[in-house]
Amino acid sequence: MKKVKRRAMSVLVIILCLIVGIGTFTYRFFREGRDWVNFTANKHIYSNGVLIGGAIYDRDGNALVHTVDGVRKYSDNESVRCATMHIVGDKKSNIATSLQKVYADQLMGYNTVNGTYSVSGKGNSIYTTLDSDICASAYEQIKDRKGAVCVYNYKTGEVICLVSTPTYDPENPPTISPEDDKYEGVYINRAISSTFTPGSVYKLVTAAAAIDNIDDIFDQKFTCNKTQVVNGQKIVCSGTHRNENFEQALANSCNIAFGNISRQLGWNTTVEYARKLGITTAHDLSGIITAKGNIASSGGDNELSWTGIGQNTDLVNPFAMMRLVGTIANHGVCVEPYLVEKITNSSGFRTQLGLSNGSTTRCLSRNTADKLSDMMRNNVVSKYGDSNYPQNMEICAKSGTAELDGNKKSHSWFVGFCRNEKYPYAFAVFVQNGGSGATVAGGVASKVMAAVEEKVNSQ
Ligand SMILES: [Zn+2]
């Protein structure tokens, strides 16, 4: 009897082990199956480490990468290949935030029921919102410098341009040595994964906080004598602006006025608005997570002044700046930028439903956003020169020339949008160590937006 009991117990233990084993496997299969098939030794999916399945298209159906007779091919146009390399990804998967890396399982057609089985063996297709003509045009403007150009539709959220330089042709990758400054940070998408000192483009965040929190901000007068000592440190302005009101202070990009405004706001409001306007938070761009910006949260009045001016330890990425000006353009409602329109299998059916495209959040009141929009329009008309930009677009903008430690040349920024809603596009242009914001980045923005205007008019 004892023997039978012992045997029964043993069988029970074996059955229990089996159940736990199957349970663990099933759990891991659903959780990690995607990673298992992504393993680069999987010859069904990779050939010499190069992903061979799936295709990525731009918004007009032009192939950015696809497989023809077992060979991975990029666009026929070299500028398009260089311009979209960071988003599409190179053949060796060097770009961690590329679609080929982030959507590898989707491209190869993996699903938990069939594994990577696909009737045609072609994998899936990702249709992006990118406009390869605009990307190529932006690349041509910035290819000899390091930087980023971002453009999106502030009403729908579609990102049409996201270019990062330095880049290279994925069909003819150069030999890149770590010491070569020309290719410094080439595998990083500067538009979404890097953060830089914003300089005066950050004054838009401070201005938004001021409109909401300082009752008489539009009646205040500021006096700028070029320098002012705050808490023992000299705040320096680029000019001597004498007497100015709030709107003129933004157009003059006056450090003395914006230092004063920051001190009126205090640390808590300064930090709150950086978060509320998406500067210090990460964003989900169709599954690609962007880098968080950073601003200081405490310190003396001198540090508070420099924080609101966009200096101190402030860091932001170009994508977050584009999202911010798009929110201002859209009367305070942020339509979340996105990149992937749809994913289809080889029969043309959608494989993934419910992509959270174009979700909206109110970040600013309509009144505050529209006042900022008027002030940004005034910047262009009174300072940057409206004739320097496409005439029908009604460009509203803010420049930034971010000073850096040591003898490094300033970063050049230009961010803004078209107020004419026939062209509902917002942009952020960043040129690393580019010098003057309005001249350098502003010049790039003008040419890119002219290409956008031409494209819209031709449709
Ligand atoms: Zn000034």
Side-chain angles (χ1 to χ4, degrees), residues 377 380-381 384-396 417-423 445-447 449-454 457:
R377 180 69 189 139
V380 175
V381 173
Y384 314 142
D386 200 27
S387 60
N388 292 324
Y389 303 94
Q391 287 304 286
N392 298 317
M393 298 183 112
E394 221 181 309
I395 299 280
C396 303
F417 56 88
C418 310
R419 196 150 69 166
N420 179 349
E421 294 191 355
K422 184 183 174 191
Y423 312 98
S446 176
K447 295 209 169 69
M449 295 316 286
V452 171
E453 183 184 33
E454 195 183 325
N457 290 346

Side-chain angles (χ1 to χ4, degrees), residues 224 226 237-241 244 254-257:
C224 165
K226 194 164 171 67
C237 189
S238 59
T240 304
H241 300 115
E244 55 192 349
C254 181
N255 286 350
I256 305 300

Side-chain angles (χ1 to χ4, degrees), residues 12-34:
L12 205 65
V13 168
I14 291 167
I15 291 171
L16 271 173
C17 287
L18 210 63
I19 292 171
V20 170
I22 290 171
T24 309
F25 174 79
T26 310
Y27 172 75
R28 288 195 57 195
F29 175 71
F30 279 96
R31 206 184 137 92
E32 299 166 25
R34 286 164 196 277

Side-chain angles (χ1 to χ4, degrees), residues 36-61:
W36 297 347
V37 291
N38 279 347
F39 189 53
T40 45
N42 186 349
K43 291 205 170 86
H44 184 59
I45 290 155
Y46 292 93
S47 166
N48 295 324
V50 177
L51 183 74
I52 50 173
I56 300 175
Y57 297 95
D58 84 344
R59 61 185 301 107
D60 298 320

Side-chain angles (χ1 to χ4, degrees), residues 79 83-84 130-140 160-163:
S79 292
T84 58
L130 290 175
D131 185 315
S132 56
D133 295 331
I134 304 301
C135 292
S137 164
Y139 166 72
E140 285 301 325
I160 63 165
C161 172
L162 204 64
V163 172

